[in-house]
Amino acid sequence: MKKTHIATLLIIVISMGVIIAKIGDYSSFETFSMAQNAEGKEFHIVGELAKPEEMLYEPENDPNFFSFYMKDKAGEERKVVFKGAKPMDFERSEQIVLTGKMEEGDFHASKILMKCPSKYINDKLEVTEVTASGI
């Protein structure tokens, strides 16, 4: 076998190893306690909005700051800070997937993905009333 063939095979094996290692990092969802134990490392956490808790979004003061509380799949509740705008219909989401890191006890999310309920339930269209104030 020529040296170029050996070098090519070695590069292919190393590349496959790197790809498999990266896939392993992103394939599982963790909990807040796992993220707390490895502060500074990026995690994917799945959970639901803790509805009775406070949500803070004041676009007049800072349109790129949104904070809320989320309960992970283990039932642990933590404050989440997102440096971005509050997503539309956030309160109606059934499930939330966060990507981010733990910093000083709070989870700082870099991405928020939501699973929202269907607008059509039993072939009925949900209608919401919209009112204009100050007109």
Side-chain angles (χ1 to χ4, degrees), residues 37-127:
N37 294 335
E39 193 165 317
K41 185 179 174 191
E42 193 164 272
F43 285 92
H44 299 279
I45 298 180
V46 65
E48 60 186 36
L49 181 64
K51 294 199 181 197
E53 297 294 333
E54 175 188 24
M55 279 193 290
L56 178 63
Y57 181 62
E58 297 173 342
E60 305 84 26
N61 298 333
D62 187 358
N64 291 320
F65 182 84
F66 174 47
S67 69
F68 59 96
Y69 286 83
M70 187 178 101
K71 190 180 294 187
D72 66 10
K73 62 184 177 183
E76 184 177 353
E77 194 173 293
R78 289 286 177 121
K79 182 178 181 179
V80 177
V81 176
F82 178 60
K83 300 286 183 177
K86 177 181 164 188
M88 281 185 74
D89 293 333
F90 186 76
E91 296 86 359
R92 298 181 59 202
S93 63
E94 289 179 354
Q95 190 177 51
I96 303 169
V97 179
L98 302 174
T99 301
K101 302 175 183 180
M102 288 296 285
E103 295 178 16
E104 300 174 6
D106 296 337
F107 191 82
H108 288 254
S110 58
K111 291 181 187 175
I112 298 176
L113 300 171
M114 301 180 309
K115 178 183 176 189
C116 293
S118 175
K119 291 184 180 181
Y120 301 97
I121 301 172
N122 296 331
D123 296 324
K124 294 180 183 176
L125 176 62
E126 182 177 318
V127 178

